[in-house]
């Protein structure tokens, strides 16, 4: 159901007819190629804890994807989860790098993002079109100014932010 490289470290393409449902990868898979799962509608949850690189458009248009877990030391490229219209929850493990634009663009039902910490700035348009995003929990951010100044979060619909080592809440 997956086309892999010979060493089984890279997913080249996912089979459109396979029922993925809740899915995770073994320790061998460290990379998801560009567009590999794009449009796979049977995928509902994905655990990418062991993956180091998610290429552009890798999960774009997975319209039934509801939950994503991203591991530490992962690099996520542009539009990787764009237009995943059922996505409601994203968990990022430190030190996740969100370096490219529009990673979660138009995930219109995304409500909650939680992370231990964000490494570097959050690029513009990372959460563009995420009109239901209300909760952003970033334990590694110590002040509200640190978070508000990152990318387009200051223009989002976020109503509650938890930050700092004491998980202090801030209502916008």
């Amino acid at each position: 159901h997956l086309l892999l490289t010979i060493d089984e470290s890279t997913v080249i393409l996912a089979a459109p007819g396979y029922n993925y449902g809740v899915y995770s990868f073994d320790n061998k898979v460290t990379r998801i190629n560009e567009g590999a799962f794009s449009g796979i509608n049977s995928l509902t949850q994905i655990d990418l804890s062991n993956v180091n690189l998610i290429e552009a458009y890798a999960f774009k248009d997975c319209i039934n994807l509801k939950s994503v877990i991203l591991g530490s030391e992962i690099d996520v490229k542009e539009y990787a989860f764009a237009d995943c219209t059922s996505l409601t929850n994203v968990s990022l493990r430190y030190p996740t790098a969100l370096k490219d634009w529009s990673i979660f663009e138009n995930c219109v039902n995304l409500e909650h993002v939680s992370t231990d910490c964000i490494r570097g700035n959050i690029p513009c348009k990372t959460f563009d079109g995420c009109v239901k995003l209300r909760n952003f929990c970033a334990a590694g951010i110590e002040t509200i100014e640190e978070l508000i100044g990152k990318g387009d979060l200051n223009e989002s619909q976020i109503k509650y932010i938890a930050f700092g080592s004491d998980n202090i809440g801030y209502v916008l």
Side-chain angles (χ1 to χ4, degrees), residues 66-170:
K66 295 178 182 175
S67 178
V68 173
I69 298 172
L70 299 174
S72 62
E73 299 296 332
I74 191 169
D75 189 3
V76 184
K77 299 297 183 183
E78 66 273 2
Y79 301 100
F81 295 94
D83 301 309
C84 293
T85 55
S86 295
L87 188 62
T88 59
N89 187 49
V90 174
S91 176
L92 310 167
R93 296 199 180 123
Y94 177 78
T96 298
L98 300 177
K99 295 188 270 187
D100 288 315
W101 290 36
S102 304
I103 293 169
F104 298 102
E105 183 177 273
N106 295 325
C107 293
V108 295
N109 286 301
L110 182 59
E111 296 176 353
H112 184 79
V113 175
S114 62
T115 181
D116 298 336
C117 188
I118 295 291
R119 181 177 68 199
N121 290 329
I122 298 171
C124 291
K125 301 188 182 287
T126 298
F127 298 101
D128 194 34
C130 298
V131 295
K132 291 187 179 179
L133 183 57
R134 299 292 190 267
N135 297 298
F136 194 99
C137 299
I141 303 294
E142 293 300 324
T143 67
I144 192 65
E145 290 79 17
E146 272 186 90
L147 187 60
I148 293 297
K150 292 180 181 248
D152 62 345
L153 286 179
N154 56 337
E155 297 173 7
S156 72
Q157 301 296 314
I158 294 175
K159 299 296 181 203
Y160 179 79
I161 298 171
F163 62 96
S165 55
D166 296 327
N167 210 19
I168 299 167
Y170 186 83

Side-chain angles (χ1 to χ4, degrees), residues 51-66:
V51 175
N52 297 325
L53 176 61
I54 299 173
E55 293 285 357
Y57 308 98
F59 294 91
K60 187 180 184 319
D61 293 317
C62 290
I63 60 171
N64 292 311
L65 182 61
K66 295 178 182 175

Side-chain angles (χ1 to χ4, degrees), residues 11-24:
V11 176
I12 298 170
L13 189 64
Y18 185 78
N19 185 10
Y20 289 93
V22 177
Y23 201 78
S24 63

